[in-house]
Amino acid sequence: REDIRILPVSDAAYPDRLRQIEDPPVVLYIRGRWPDFDTMPGIAVVGTRQATSYGVQVAGTIGAELAKAGFVTVSGMALGNDAAAHRGALRAGGLTVAVLAGGPDVCYPPQNRALMGDILLSGAVISEYPPGTEPDGLNYKSRNRIISGLCVATVIVEAGSARSGALITARHALDQSRDVYAVPGAMGAPQSRECNALIER
């Protein structure tokens, strides 16, 4: 009824890049248009929910430029930087994939219902959790490995805390031997604190 595709790890259509991580999802639940990640690489664009206007603009621009260059923009459909990256890719006519921390039929946050609908028209919404699953804190930490695992690289737009989901995604990417990039921000800007620290390291 929800037109949800079930893609097990044993299926030939399962992305090889994701299959190679230490703990790939046993199954993916997919709604929408599923890209061939083996021929069209994904780039993760993630950041804080408490995004600045600068961060929103940059995330949207990165999403759009990636789309124009033929990449799939992957993010988590959260408020702030994530949503801006998805919208940028959509504006440029590209493919974007949202990885959810609940079931693929559960829109969270509810404010992004229109965005979810737009993503489904030209991209995909996916999850390792079955339909009807409500998101919780542990699910978010787990789903971040999928965001980075699908991608050749991860871009952190803004991150103000060492415990932020964006930095968790960056750590997953590094553990998976993927490239990590950080967008520099103004000195002392709270939302750019961890991005600047990543660049410094």
Side-chain angles (χ1 to χ4, degrees):
R1 187 173 64 248
E2 297 287 346
D3 196 23
I4 296 171
R5 176 183 177 185
I6 300 173
L7 184 64
V9 68
S10 58
D11 195 293
Y14 194 98
D16 283 339
R17 196 170 288 109
L18 184 60
R19 189 185 284 117
Q20 291 166 6
I21 71 173
E22 183 177 348
D23 51 349
V26 175
V27 64
L28 292 173
Y29 297 91
I30 301 168
R31 293 178 67 200
R33 178 183 173 190
W34 181 239
D36 182 355
F37 278 99
D38 295 331
T39 59
M40 181 182 280
I43 304 285
V45 183
V46 294
T48 181
R49 291 171 174 82
Q50 288 78 44
T52 65
S53 57
Y54 164 76
V56 168
Q57 179 183 358
V58 169
T61 299
I62 292 173
E65 292 302 318
L66 289 174
K68 293 173 186 176
F71 292 96
V72 180
T73 301
V74 180
S75 198
M77 211 178 79
L79 296 174
N81 298 142
D82 288 24
H86 287 304
R87 291 190 177 102
L90 291 169
R91 282 196 302 271
L95 287 174
T96 187
V97 170
V99 184
L100 304 187
D105 58 336
V106 178
C107 182
Y108 189 86
Q111 299 98 307
N112 279 346
R113 190 167 302 280
L115 174 60
M116 185 176 183
D118 290 341
I119 292 172
L120 288 170
L121 289 175
S122 59
V125 172
I126 73 169
S127 177
E128 66 178 319
Y129 303 105
T133 303
E134 293 293 331
D136 65 29
L138 292 177
N139 290 6
Y140 283 101
K141 292 181 180 180
S142 182
R143 74 91 187 260
N144 290 339
R145 83 190 194 287
I146 301 174
I147 293 177
S148 60
L150 284 168
C151 299
V152 296
T154 293
V155 181
I156 313 299
V157 179
E158 291 182 308
S161 165
R163 296 177 296 174
S164 73
L167 280 193
I168 292 172
T169 306
R171 285 192 286 270
H172 281 306
L174 291 172
D175 289 342
Q176 295 160 357
S177 299
R178 312 292 163 82
D179 291 333
V180 174
Y181 301 92
V183 175
M187 290 177 60
Q191 287 91 338
S192 293
R193 183 182 300 117
E194 295 302 325
C195 286
N196 291 340
L198 279 173
I199 294 169
E200 184 179 1
R201 289 196 292 269

